[in-house]
Amino acid sequence: MSAEVKVLSTSTRTNLEALKHHMKKLEFKYYEERDGWVTFGAHLMMNGEGVAPYDCISISVRFMDINVDLWGFDLINKLPEARQAILDFYEAEGNYGKDW
């Protein structure tokens, strides 16, 4: 876990663990938080800096922002369930700002 995640409140860490559990059920693996974002990916690829996830969903743990990069149709079909898990996370955090 990065230093950023370690300074999150206990409730946020608990909510993040619940989100990880939901995403794992959908076959997305959790990747370490970075710059306020957590990423869940279905595959790995090699980039110039090492191994990185692709076919992934990244969410901000501080703001209600999401970045989705899915190419597989089987993964796209899982997007509604992933969306609900992410909305549940934001609701538990008290962030309701956007309709999407």
Side-chain angles (χ1 to χ4, degrees):
M1 230 184 238
S2 73
E4 295 251 351
V5 171
K6 290 178 185 172
V7 299
L8 295 174
S9 70
T10 301
S11 64
T12 297
R13 281 182 289 183
T14 300
N15 295 334
L16 187 56
E17 287 302 317
L19 177 60
K20 285 189 218 179
H21 178 74
H22 281 94
M23 296 300 279
K24 184 177 180 180
K25 282 197 233 179
L26 296 173
E27 300 176 10
F28 287 94
K29 295 178 183 175
Y30 171 74
Y31 294 90
E32 205 168 303
E33 187 265 353
R34 184 178 193 165
D35 300 326
W37 291 80
V38 294
T39 298
F40 299 90
H43 305 94
L44 289 176
M45 67 174 202
M46 294 296 292
N47 63 17
E49 300 172 10
V51 177
Y54 74 97
D55 277 343
C56 61
I57 299 172
S58 298
I59 71 159
S60 171
V61 295
R62 293 186 182 91
F63 306 102
M64 199 165 173
D65 292 318
I66 299 172
N67 180 42
V68 178
D69 184 18
L70 299 177
W71 293 95
F73 286 114
D74 59 328
L75 297 174
I76 292 169
N77 288 335
K78 295 177 182 183
L79 197 52
E81 290 179 72
R83 174 185 178 265
Q84 187 59 54
I86 293 166
L87 285 174
D88 291 345
F89 168 80
Y90 284 131
E91 185 175 332
E93 287 294 298
N95 293 327
Y96 308 99
K98 294 182 182 177
D99 292 325
W100 51 276

